[in-house]
């Protein structure tokens, strides 16, 4: 019988192709073929890979594909198969398992890219707005999430005394929802969350706390107890995967500063962050929606699909590489996204869209993506000076606020043109402008107008969110919010009727009458409460108790606590 020579493989390949691994490799390569055949022809997987995990390893393309497939990393395998034999640093890893079973994270290699110039402009009115492209956001799904069940009236869906009093901006009753499926296995962190939920429900009565002004809150006793438990118990694990600038690269200036400041402060935090994911109650996915647009959007393409594909690939990689996503189908993971496109970039990954806690500036109930009671409305904060985030905070006393209402800005969206039509240059009490004319800014600029006005008009733009809401609070001007279907920031805890005025879009023609109908004594109370609530919206380089960093984290914590099932 003729003798057939045994093919010789390099030592590294012989080690990979042991019998148990061959079976896994074959299955992985089969799945890889399906992935590649279904992938868009124009997509360059090596581009996604460089952001997700850094440069591909050395060696031949075939060896890299097999090694990646055996490890279960299909996203990496697809990138290796499609890219031309690259060289560079070895594949990054979140960590290696030691004998005790704990995971010790190791940082992924960074890939520093030079971001493209921002299209944002600084206008004469002192505000900064970025012209968005609403036509490219596509058609986000409107159907209710099948993984979610009907809301229930037990537990703590909000901190209001009566859940039946919850309404959206159209005053329609809205109740939060909770996940139906149970986690694949329980952890000690789950038990702590269940304990926290019971304890918050039975919170002791809070009287005269000098740090918390009760009228600002739906239920100050529940908030205080929930916050105390967060400080004592909460542990957050941050994934180290992903290369700069999309990951781990906070932008600290402009209207998207909320996501950048939270990322910066969260990654530097020593009280909540843990290295062992088995101890975590929450898992943070540290990417920037602003940097997604900055680095992946193709100008003139009129599609954000590359951004959505990138996020889907990232979540697929996380769920294939680590067991934590799959345990809850992403329900204990969260993102922080302030860019208007943030919600729409999640729509290609069902579990991310339906289960993950999304802290979004664009908290729009009408789009079918933001889920009230699970997702978190993120304040949009416009910071002009990152090194001095508290610059210009404050305003004039009530007696020196001589302007009834003020607005200046671009004519974005459906509300602002109507506002200008009815009130632009038509009434001395209503200072409504598209942009502040130079003849006016010579005497009083944008910030000085806000500091001198009783009410600051905060209409939606292309999307429901507006940085003017927090700006008004900074300058101690009562915000007048005009954006139907908008879930206001920290609505799980704060009583917005105590320090703001919400006007339906249809009532813009009656705006002056609405404001004049507010008694002077009530206005004084509103303005005083604006000054009191201000501390909950301030960024500090070193976070302090009850500031905006802790309020955002508390809303995410409270959402996760609320998901827990109590037998």
């Amino acid at each position: 019988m003729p003798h057939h020579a045994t093919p010789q493989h390099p030592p590294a390949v012989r080690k990979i192709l042991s019998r148990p691994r061959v079976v896994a490799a074959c299955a992985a390569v089969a799945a890889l073929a399906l992935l590649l055949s279904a992938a868009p022809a124009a997509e360059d997987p090596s581009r996604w890979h460089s952001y997700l995990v850094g440069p591909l390893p050395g060696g031949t393309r075939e060896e890299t594909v097999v090694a990646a497939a055996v490890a279960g990393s299909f996203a990496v395998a697809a990138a290796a198969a499609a890219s031309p034999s690259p060289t560079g640093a070895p594949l990054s890893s979140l960590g290696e398992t030691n004998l005790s079973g704990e995971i010790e994270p190791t940082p992924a290699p960074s890939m520093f890219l030079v971001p493209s110039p921002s299209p944002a402009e600084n206008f004469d009115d002192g505000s900064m707005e970025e012209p968005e492209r609403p036509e490219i956001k596509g058609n986000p799904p409107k159907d209710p999430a099948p993984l979610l069940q009907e809301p229930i009236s037990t537990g703590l869906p909000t901190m209001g005394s009566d859940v039946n009093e919850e309404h959206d901006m159209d005053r329609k009753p809205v109740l939060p929802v909770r996940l139906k499926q149970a986690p694949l296995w329980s952890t000690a962190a789950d038990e702590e969350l269940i304990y926290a939920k019971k304890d918050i429900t039975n919170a002791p009565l809070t009287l005269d706390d000098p740090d918390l002004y009760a009228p600002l809150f739906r239920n100050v006793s529940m908030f205080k107890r929930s916050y105390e438990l967060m400080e004592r118990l909460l542990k957050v694990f941050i994934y180290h995967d992903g290369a700069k600038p999309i990951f781990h690269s906070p932008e600290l200036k402009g209207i998207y500063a909320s996501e950048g400041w939270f990322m910066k402060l969260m990654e530097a935090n020593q009280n909540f962050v843990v290295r062992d994911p088995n101890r975590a109650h929450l898992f943070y996915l540290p990417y920037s929606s602003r940097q997604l647009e900055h680095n992946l959007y193709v100008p003139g393409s009129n599609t954000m699909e590359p951004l959505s594909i990138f996020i889907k690939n990232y979540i697929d990689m996380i769920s294939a590489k680590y067991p934590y996503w799959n345990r809850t189908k992403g329900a204990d993971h969260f993102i922080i996204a302030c860019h208007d496109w943030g919600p729409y970039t999640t729509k290609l990954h069902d579990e991310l869209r339906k289960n993950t806690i999304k802290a979004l500036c664009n908290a729009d109930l009408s789009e079918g993506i933001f889920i009230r009671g699970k997702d978190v409305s993120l304040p949009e904060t416009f910071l002009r000076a990152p090194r001095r985030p508290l610059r210009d905070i404050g305003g004039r006393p009530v007696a020196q606020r001589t302007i009834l209402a003020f607005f200046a800005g671009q004519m974005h969206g459906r509300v602002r043109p109507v506002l200008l039509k009815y009130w632009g240059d038509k009434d001395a009490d209503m200072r409504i402008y598209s942009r502040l004319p130079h003849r006016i800014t010579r005497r009083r600029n944008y910030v000085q107008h806000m500091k001198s006005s009783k009410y600051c008009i905060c209409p939606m733009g292309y999307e429901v969110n507006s940085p003017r809401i927090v700006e008004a609070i900074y300058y101690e001007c009562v915000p007048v919010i005009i954006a139907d279907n908008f879930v206001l920031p920290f609505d799980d805890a704060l009583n917005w009727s105590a320090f703001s005025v919400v006007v339906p879009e249809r009532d813009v023609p009656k705006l002056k009458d609405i404001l004049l109908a507010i008694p002077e004594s009530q206005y004084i109370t509103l303005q005083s409460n604006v000054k009191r609530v201000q501390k909950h919206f301030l960024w500090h380089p070193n976070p302090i108790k009850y500031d905006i960093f802790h309020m955002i984290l508390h809303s995410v914590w409270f959402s996760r606590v609320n998901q827990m099932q109590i037998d």
Side-chain angles (χ1 to χ4, degrees):
M1 182 172 252
H3 175 71
H4 297 282
T6 302
Q8 297 298 311
H9 299 289
V13 177
R14 288 200 303 271
K15 182 177 180 180
I16 289 175
L17 296 179
S18 61
R19 182 177 298 274
R21 295 172 181 250
V22 167
V23 177
C26 291
V29 171
L32 171 62
L34 291 175
L35 280 173
L36 293 178
S37 64
E43 183 179 339
D44 179 7
S46 63
R47 185 183 184 192
W48 312 132
H49 181 275
S50 65
Y51 286 111
L52 289 172
V53 292
L56 288 166
T60 67
R61 179 174 58 185
E62 292 76 11
E63 291 172 358
T64 305
V65 171
V66 173
V70 170
S73 180
F74 296 107
V76 176
S83 57
S85 301
T87 59
L91 283 172
S92 62
S93 172
L94 175 67
E96 299 179 357
T97 305
N98 57 28
L99 294 179
S100 66
E102 296 182 350
I103 293 182
E104 299 177 356
T106 55
S110 298
M111 182 176 181
F112 292 90
L113 301 181
V114 179
S116 57
S118 170
E121 302 177 41
N122 288 300
F123 295 108
D124 293 338
D125 59 12
S127 66
M128 188 179 83
E129 299 180 297
E130 181 170 344
E132 298 294 357
R133 293 160 284 270
E135 71 280 358
I136 72 171
K137 70 184 182 182
N139 298 310
K142 302 277 186 179
D143 58 311
L147 291 180
L148 302 173
Q149 65 177 4
E150 297 82 2
I152 60 176
S153 58
T154 59
L156 51 151
T158 71
M159 292 187 180
S161 58
D162 183 357
V163 295
N164 294 319
E165 293 179 356
E166 291 299 307
H167 296 82
D168 63 14
M169 297 290 284
D170 284 330
R171 306 305 298 165
K172 298 176 183 176
V174 174
L175 286 174
V177 289
R178 298 198 307 175
L179 292 179
K180 179 184 293 186
Q181 73 274 7
L184 294 181
W185 68 88
S186 296
T187 65
D190 290 339
E191 297 301 318
E192 290 176 336
L193 290 170
I194 292 172
Y195 159 77
K197 184 169 185 176
K198 294 177 180 177
D199 209 28
I200 295 168
T201 304
N202 300 304
L205 187 63
T206 297
L207 297 172
D208 299 326
D209 187 314
D211 295 324
L212 298 173
Y213 186 58
L216 300 179
F217 294 88
R218 292 180 176 273
N219 186 316
V220 70
S221 301
M222 289 178 63
F223 172 78
K224 181 179 180 181
R225 188 58 184 144
S226 178
Y227 190 97
E228 290 171 347
L229 290 168
M230 177 190 75
E231 286 186 311
R232 195 175 88 198
L233 299 176
L234 177 60
K235 302 301 177 188
V236 178
F237 179 79
I238 304 174
Y239 286 101
H240 293 265
D241 298 72
K244 294 183 178 181
I246 291 176
F247 299 89
H248 316 289
S249 184
E251 187 167 309
L252 305 179
K253 183 179 180 181
I255 61 174
Y256 307 121
S258 288
E259 67 179 28
W261 271 80
F262 182 89
M263 182 187 297
K264 173 182 181 291
L265 299 177
M266 189 77 252
E267 294 199 320
N269 189 274
Q270 297 182 356
N271 297 324
F272 299 111
V273 176
V274 291
R275 292 172 56 87
D276 179 7
N278 295 298
R279 296 176 56 201
H281 305 89
L282 290 165
F283 294 77
Y284 176 35
L285 302 166
Y287 69 84
S288 164
S289 61
R290 167 58 173 162
Q291 295 287 14
L292 275 177
E293 184 260 346
H294 217 173
N295 293 277
L296 296 183
Y297 175 70
V298 179
S301 66
N302 291 328
T303 177
M304 66 176 72
E305 189 166 2
L307 288 66
S308 302
I309 292 172
F310 178 87
I311 291 302
K312 181 182 184 301
N313 290 344
Y314 169 63
I315 299 300
D316 287 343
M317 183 269 290
I318 289 293
S319 61
K321 190 173 181 181
Y322 311 110
Y324 309 107
W325 177 279
N326 298 319
R327 188 182 82 89
T328 64
K329 303 299 182 183
D332 53 0
H333 288 56
F334 71 97
I335 64 171
I336 305 289
C338 197
H339 196 282
D340 282 1
W341 297 354
Y344 312 118
T345 59
T346 68
K347 68 179 183 179
L348 291 186
H349 198 289
D350 284 346
E351 291 176 354
L352 174 65
R353 177 171 60 87
K354 298 170 184 175
N355 302 343
T356 298
I357 301 169
K358 303 183 295 293
L360 303 171
C361 287
N362 187 5
D364 188 344
L365 286 174
S366 70
E367 298 284 1
I369 301 177
F370 185 93
I371 302 171
R372 189 169 195 170
K374 176 183 71 69
D375 294 332
V376 170
S377 181
L378 180 68
E380 185 171 4
T381 57
F382 172 28
L383 293 188
R384 294 172 171 83
R387 294 187 179 181
R388 297 173 57 200
L390 304 183
R391 190 183 74 175
D392 290 334
I393 297 295
R396 293 186 176 185
V398 169
Q400 298 179 23
R401 292 183 175 267
T402 57
I403 302 171
L404 176 63
F406 168 71
F407 168 81
Q410 294 189 75
M411 291 296 104
H412 287 163
R414 63 180 182 262
V415 174
R416 298 182 187 187
V418 177
L419 184 67
L420 191 67
K421 173 186 174 181
Y422 282 94
W423 301 110
D425 291 326
K426 293 190 172 55
D427 192 307
D429 291 332
M430 305 289 287
R431 307 290 178 89
I432 308 298
Y433 307 95
S434 57
R435 293 189 187 181
L436 277 177
H438 287 291
R439 59 183 172 79
I440 293 179
T441 56
R442 285 197 298 266
R443 299 193 304 270
R444 182 184 284 162
N445 65 22
Y446 177 83
V447 171
Q448 290 167 342
H449 269 83
M450 296 192 87
K451 291 182 178 221
S452 303
S453 300
K454 295 177 67 175
Y455 297 98
C456 289
I457 312 302
C458 307
M460 65 177 288
Y462 284 134
E463 306 292 352
V464 292
N465 47 300
S466 169
R468 283 173 178 78
I469 297 174
V470 177
E471 273 190 322
I473 293 172
Y474 284 176
Y475 304 134
E476 299 172 3
C477 179
V478 176
V480 178
I481 302 160
I482 311 175
D484 294 351
N485 302 307
F486 182 34
V487 178
L488 295 170
F490 309 141
D491 82 312
D492 58 328
L494 294 181
N495 173 23
W496 278 82
S497 65
F499 55 90
S500 71
V501 177
V502 175
V503 175
E505 295 174 20
R506 64 180 179 271
D507 288 342
V508 167
K510 300 185 289 186
L511 184 56
K512 183 177 180 180
D513 292 339
I514 291 172
L515 298 181
L516 290 178
I518 298 173
E520 184 69 12
S521 60
Q522 183 180 347
Y523 164 73
I524 292 173
T525 299
L526 288 170
Q527 200 270 343
S528 176
N529 287 344
V530 168
K531 294 166 66 174
R532 287 188 171 102
V533 83
Q534 186 184 85
K535 70 177 184 179
H536 300 301
F537 290 88
L538 297 180
W539 291 108
H540 300 275
N542 296 307
I544 65 174
K545 192 166 187 172
Y546 300 130
D547 69 357
I548 189 171
F549 168 77
H550 287 100
M551 291 293 288
I552 294 170
L553 190 60
H554 174 267
S555 287
V556 177
W557 148 265
F558 187 75
S559 172
R560 180 59 186 150
V561 168
N562 188 44
Q563 292 178 32
M564 303 308 294
Q565 301 282 359
I566 298 179
D567 296 332

